[in-house]
Amino acid sequence: MSSELPDYSVSPPTGAGESTSGPSRRTVIATGVAVGGVVVAGGSFLAGAEEATATGAAPSSRVSLAVNGTRRTVTVDNRTSLLDLLREHLDLTGSKKGCNAGACGACTVLVDGQRVNSCLTLAVRLEGAEVTTIEGLAQGDELHPLQQAFVDEDAFQCGYCTPGQIMSGVGCIQEGHTDSPEEIREYMSGNVCRCGCYVKIVRAVEQTAARK
């Protein structure tokens, strides 16, 4: 008796009418059924999403707050950030949308005198709050002292980050963190200037604080 095992790696012979060069009829039918099922499932999913969008409006709330000394009452989607409220609902576009993730400081404003990244602050949480933006610093044609210092020191280049830098600088001065250039740099570190005007920015904040 032979001890060799049968070689199962060899494909069984095909029938006389079958070809080995392409998929079998059975494979084609099975593939068509599978693809059809995916298409139907996908269509049902998309239809369900469209129906949910049509019938379920996003929750919204009314919020009343003072912006640059003027009381404003608006109805917004509960997910709306303070930055989008200012820019899209109140047409106050001085606050810039940079990273929209709280990492660049371009959107800095004051809320009840404290510096905040408006892109990370929900508008609906600010009922009754006092908000100050870059548009609210000047008194008519008279610039805020820090705004004037930025002009005098040429503390900007492209200007995109400047509103956030100035608002952060105002907050830094009010908080009393201006005892040295090193302290100013530390407490202004959340505001990024891609043009690299940091030396002049620190100098503007330092000189404004000294005149206070």
Side-chain angles (χ1 to χ4, degrees):
M1 175 185 286
S2 172
S3 61
E4 292 186 10
L5 296 176
D7 185 359
Y8 292 109
S9 64
V10 179
S11 300
T14 59
E18 294 181 6
S19 172
T20 59
S21 61
S24 68
R25 179 171 176 272
R26 180 178 300 174
T27 302
V28 172
I29 294 174
T31 303
V33 172
V35 172
V38 171
V39 171
V40 171
S44 300
F45 175 78
L46 293 176
E50 291 174 357
E51 182 179 354
T53 302
T55 59
S60 60
S61 301
R62 286 172 61 86
V63 58
S64 180
L65 65 168
V67 181
N68 298 328
T70 301
R71 179 64 54 182
R72 309 295 293 266
T73 301
V74 292
T75 300
V76 294
D77 184 314
N78 287 351
R79 299 165 295 182
T80 301
S81 68
L82 174 57
L83 178 60
D84 286 339
L85 170 66
L86 294 171
R87 291 180 59 84
E88 299 177 13
H89 293 265
L90 302 182
D91 295 324
L92 296 172
T93 56
S95 303
K96 303 305 182 186
K97 181 176 284 191
C99 66
N100 205 34
C104 73
C107 66
T108 304
V109 300
L110 302 181
V111 175
D112 294 332
Q114 300 296 314
R115 293 179 284 173
V116 302
N117 290 319
S118 59
C119 70
L120 297 183
T121 305
L122 287 175
V124 294
R125 300 190 63 182
L126 299 180
E127 178 66 30
E130 297 277 345
V131 178
T132 304
T133 71
I134 191 67
E135 291 91 345
L137 287 186
Q139 300 295 324
D141 294 332
E142 182 180 355
L143 295 178
H144 184 279
L146 186 54
Q147 289 176 305
Q148 187 62 56
F150 264 65
V151 175
D152 296 341
E153 295 296 331
D154 195 23
F156 51 86
Q157 188 168 322
C158 79
Y160 195 84
C161 75
T162 303
Q165 297 279 2
I166 292 176
M167 296 307 300
S168 186
V170 170
C172 189
I173 293 170
Q174 291 178 352
E175 295 160 12
H177 298 304
T178 56
D179 290 338
S180 66
E182 292 75 19
E183 185 176 29
I184 294 172
R185 283 195 292 269
E186 174 67 23
Y187 282 89
M188 292 282 291
S189 61
N191 291 78
V192 177
C193 174
R194 293 181 182 271
C195 302
C197 296
Y198 296 111
V199 173
K200 295 179 179 180
I201 290 171
V202 170
R203 189 181 302 154
V205 173
E206 186 178 28
Q207 292 183 3
T208 303
R211 299 190 192 105
K212 187 177 178 182

